[in-house]
Amino acid sequence: MSLALQPLDQLEPAAGRPGWWQASGNDPKFACIAGGFPLKAGWYRLSIELEDIDGDWLEPMLYMDYGYGMHETWSLYLGFVRRGARRHVGVVLFPFAVQRLRFDPASAPCRFRVEGFGLRRIGRIGAAWRMLRAVAKSRVTQGSGHRELMLDAWRKLRGLGGRHAFASWLHEQYVAHGNIKAPTYERWLNLYDQSRVSSEMSPDSLVSILLPTFNTPEKWLRRCLDSVLAQTYPHWELCICDDASTLPQVREVLEHYAAHDSRIRIIWRESNGHISAASNSALAIAQGDWIALLDHDDELHPVALATVIGAWRRHPQWQFVYTDEDKINADGQRYDPYFKPDWNPDLLLGQNCVSHLGVYSRALVNAVGGFRQGLEGSQDWDLALRCSERLAPEQIGHVPVVLYHWRAIAGSTAQGVGEKCYAHEAGRRALQGHLERTGVAAEVLEIDGMMGAFRVRYPTPTSPPSISIIVPTRDRLDLLRRCVESILERTTYPRYEILVVDNQSVEPESLAYLSSFNDHPKVRVRKHDQPFNYSSINNDAVGGCRGELICLLNNDVEVITPDWLEELASQALRPRVGAVGAMLYYPDDTIQHAGVVTGVHGVAAHPYSGMPRGFPGQMARARLVQGMSAVTAACLMVRREVYLEAGGLDTDLQVAFNDIDFCLRLRQLGYTNIWTPFAELYHHESASRGHEDTTEKWTRFMGEVEFMKRRWGSQLEWDPAYNPNLTLSGEPFELAFPPREWCFLSSAPFIVKDVNGPEEIRQSQTSVA
């Protein structure tokens, strides 16, 4: 079947090149026109002739309309398109009948030729053979051979799941071995670095930049000073304190710059006092409304001050602002960006996630006493903690633009905190001091192999509260037995009950197993003799629970860490904490759940899914406790009173997204949802319910997608734990092409005003017994 490509958007014929197209933007689109729609579900051989002449900008994607419109959830990267080739042939899978197709060829303006777009339906054996050949060829290119591939294939074919598991594994391998170049940070900077900054200025706001120096190499000092002089915002003063440098060129350079710009002011210390003392000396001569922190070998983006002041004008309540950052090497190359979440105090207790660029109200910095001596190396982390203690969340702002370039050279902390071990110890003491000042009885623990990052462990009460673990089930004795026995055999928490909710089991073995708990001291069985509705099952069970804490747990989950309940409970008992989620792994020790980000693929997605156990994630976030918009109900703990306050799970969401909706409603009520990697479990995902593999299930699922979009609208796309520079269409934490506009972001991201009204939402649900 041949498909004609009809231009839809950002496309026009290339001048002087017949048969070539010009993409005028970052999202060019073709409609695929043919007489054979709808296409039957199944495997297809796709062939296309595609090449460009402007560099490596082709990132072809195919969008499918399965009867519910086109969106990022139902899209495919055409990974078999190879750079340098003209004709490309590969295999695609349509799990359902396709009503329409759209082809997006590129992610940036470029010129390209495309023709010969064709689809031919093929059988499973033909598809498997083509995919196996492609994966084998790719592995040989990467240095591994056919033998290893065939052994892997044989294990999958003979293992649990048989042909279905083998087909899934082979398709994953085929997609993973695609040769499309991933979007790079360099490409992202070329497209968007200068296009997303604010030109607003407030001539009444003077910014005092504090710059402590000590024996700074001349090359880096000049680059640092030049980056200040290059600011598009003119109303600044540079308050330099030289901490008794012994290298004569430091004084020469500083005096030279000060002589040529009156906004540069210098104070010379007679003795070396280290960075906190030097920063305080610079602070003493500052006269601006705002204090910006700059290290002596780092650089500011030219629009750093203009962008921050522009954001402050939109949010005048802000007293403390931080921005995104990246690293810059000796050659001036920028890399390793940190696209940060909005204000996330729990993440700040694990790492210094706000440091660069930090801009504070001068009155606030003076009120907390400036920089504390004895915490050198983490004095900025300590300052952020002490300032945050005096502020409400809505007074702390995040500007999601890379405005600070952290110099990565030998000896710099940017090369790793191990370069300065004293900074790690200072960070631990800064955190412990913060906990003591705020009256929190918790301890700061090291994390193996992670310098500069910590775990704050909260205690459970001397008389621990009771926990009710709710486990819905229907037959599948193998899953239920493993789940229950792993809890009973491995859990160290003393006060818990397991409430197994039987949703119409019929298998004799399952019924016999359930009957065996009639006199068990920790396990009860409750009947739910109604059609499957996950929300209704759990709401009904909560009404029959005895525990002060509720733990929703799937029957296909297996306990790993014995103190999992202690960790979840210690978080859930904290004031204003809502739902608490755990780290879940697939049985092969790859990540299944490390929190949930909303907006990705339309509604929500799990970051780092499929990554190996121990994978750090973006800037180690996969190994740190943090606030998240949502967590999965496969393992979710919440105080019973909070569950009832939120109205429980919405019974209109029978299977999917009920946990996401619940967590978002908790946020509306002012609660923070927490994800912790220190409670670990295996999740044999959807093993009992199965996949969305029937028309009925598919229709129900798409209805739940539309339900979430109607209720939450654009809020789904603005997850405060997920930066707008990160994609909503690919894998979570990949770069967004293009980024989303950020100037309308809420200033209090984790305490969201009640847009829909929790009472209105609760009235639309079945009440919790």
Side-chain angles (χ1 to χ4, degrees), residues 168-189:
S168 298
W169 168 82
L170 182 56
H171 190 238
E172 290 172 1
Q173 293 291 308
Y174 179 69
V175 172
H177 283 78
N179 201 31
I180 289 182
K181 182 181 179 183
T184 66
Y185 184 50
E186 182 179 3
R187 292 174 64 189
W188 189 92
L189 288 174

Side-chain angles (χ1 to χ4, degrees), residues 460-740:
T460 53
T462 304
S463 177
S466 59
I467 299 174
S468 292
I469 305 171
I470 299 174
V471 184
T473 192
R474 176 186 292 176
D475 293 318
R476 287 308 302 267
L477 175 59
D478 55 331
L479 298 176
L480 180 63
R481 187 195 303 275
R482 178 169 51 204
C483 174
V484 171
E485 292 182 0
S486 73
I487 297 171
L488 295 174
E489 293 172 3
R490 298 171 192 164
T491 299
T492 55
Y493 192 87
R495 294 190 63 200
Y496 70 89
E497 65 166 352
I498 304 173
L499 181 59
V500 179
V501 186
D502 178 24
N503 184 215
Q504 301 179 327
S505 293
V506 295
E507 295 175 354
E509 297 84 356
S510 298
L511 296 175
Y513 182 70
L514 294 172
S515 298
S516 70
F517 295 122
N518 288 342
D519 299 315
H520 199 286
K522 283 191 174 294
V523 184
R524 293 191 292 133
V525 177
R526 181 184 180 94
K527 295 289 186 180
H528 188 85
D529 193 16
Q530 298 176 31
F532 179 83
N533 182 312
Y534 183 83
S535 298
S536 178
I537 290 171
N538 282 285
N539 288 348
D540 181 59
V542 168
C545 282
R546 303 166 182 168
E548 301 161 69
L549 293 168
I550 301 297
C551 179
L552 307 184
L553 194 72
N554 281 12
N555 69 337
D556 53 1
V557 168
E558 176 185 359
V559 172
I560 299 175
T561 50
D563 63 347
W564 68 290
L565 284 182
E566 286 89 341
E567 174 63 12
L568 295 176
S570 68
Q571 298 286 351
L573 289 169
R574 295 166 53 202
R576 306 314 299 170
V577 166
V580 182
M583 170 69 90
L584 304 181
Y585 303 108
Y586 291 114
D588 63 356
D589 277 322
T590 59
I591 294 173
Q592 186 267 332
H593 172 262
V596 173
V597 292
T598 66
V600 179
H601 301 157
V603 177
H606 293 187
Y608 318 123
S609 180
M611 292 295 103
R613 188 172 180 175
F615 179 73
Q618 188 214 35
M619 296 298 171
R621 285 184 62 182
R623 298 189 64 187
L624 298 173
V625 174
Q626 61 205 271
M628 299 288 284
S629 284
V631 295
T632 180
C635 179
L636 181 155
M637 184 172 287
V638 63
R639 298 196 299 278
R640 188 174 190 272
E641 61 189 39
V642 174
Y643 188 94
L644 297 175
E645 180 186 0
L649 304 182
D650 194 319
T651 55
D652 285 338
L653 295 167
Q654 300 176 36
V655 178
F657 308 127
N658 38 52
D659 45 7
I660 311 303
D661 175 74
F662 177 68
C663 288
L664 292 179
R665 285 187 281 113
L666 289 175
R667 269 186 52 201
Q668 283 188 321
L669 293 170
Y671 293 102
T672 296
N673 301 310
I674 298 294
W675 174 77
T676 172
F678 302 111
E680 299 175 288
L681 304 94
Y682 285 122
H683 186 194
H684 307 266
E685 187 179 26
S686 300
S688 58
R689 185 176 58 83
H691 299 279
E692 314 298 347
D693 53 3
T694 68
T695 301
E696 180 183 359
K697 288 183 178 181
W698 178 255
T699 301
R700 187 264 313 148
F701 175 75
M702 292 307 301
E704 291 173 336
V705 168
E706 294 306 314
F707 179 97
M708 290 294 291
K709 289 183 175 182
R710 284 195 308 271
R711 170 168 287 178
W712 298 106
S714 61
Q715 289 187 55
L716 291 174
E717 299 179 4
W718 295 107
D719 186 335
Y722 190 65
N723 194 290
N725 295 295
L726 302 173
T727 187
L728 295 181
S729 59
E731 289 298 316
F733 287 98
E734 290 181 348
L735 295 173
F737 284 79
R740 298 177 295 290

Side-chain angles (χ1 to χ4, degrees), residues 435-452:
L435 295 172
E436 292 169 0
R437 289 189 302 274
T438 53
V440 177
E443 58 180 332
V444 181
L445 303 178
E446 306 276 345
I447 302 176
D448 289 343
M450 293 183 64
M451 291 290 286

Side-chain angles (χ1 to χ4, degrees), residues 342-418:
D342 288 345
W343 176 240
N344 198 319
D346 287 278
L347 183 60
L348 184 62
L349 296 182
Q351 64 171 206
N352 185 3
C353 59
V354 304
S355 181
H356 305 311
L357 170 68
V359 184
Y360 299 80
S361 158
R362 181 165 65 94
L364 174 64
V365 175
N366 284 328
V368 301
F371 299 86
R372 285 207 299 166
Q373 296 190 48
L375 292 173
E376 286 78 10
S378 288
Q379 77 289 336
D380 49 359
W381 196 353
D382 175 68
L383 178 67
L385 290 166
R386 287 186 291 121
C387 286
S388 70
E389 294 162 15
R390 293 180 174 236
L391 300 175
E394 60 267 20
Q395 293 178 288
I396 302 173
H398 169 220
V399 176
V401 181
V402 176
L403 299 176
Y404 192 101
H405 316 310
W406 196 7
R407 182 75 60 191
I409 53 177
S412 166
T413 312
Q415 291 275 40
V417 180

Side-chain angles (χ1 to χ4, degrees), residues 372-376 382 422 424-434 436-437 444 454:
R372 285 207 299 166
Q373 296 190 48
L375 292 173
E376 286 78 10
D382 175 68
Y422 67 86
H424 177 80
E425 172 57 22
R428 187 195 65 77
R429 288 188 283 113
L431 290 170
Q432 197 65 59
H434 167 74
E436 292 169 0
R437 289 189 302 274
V444 181
F454 299 92

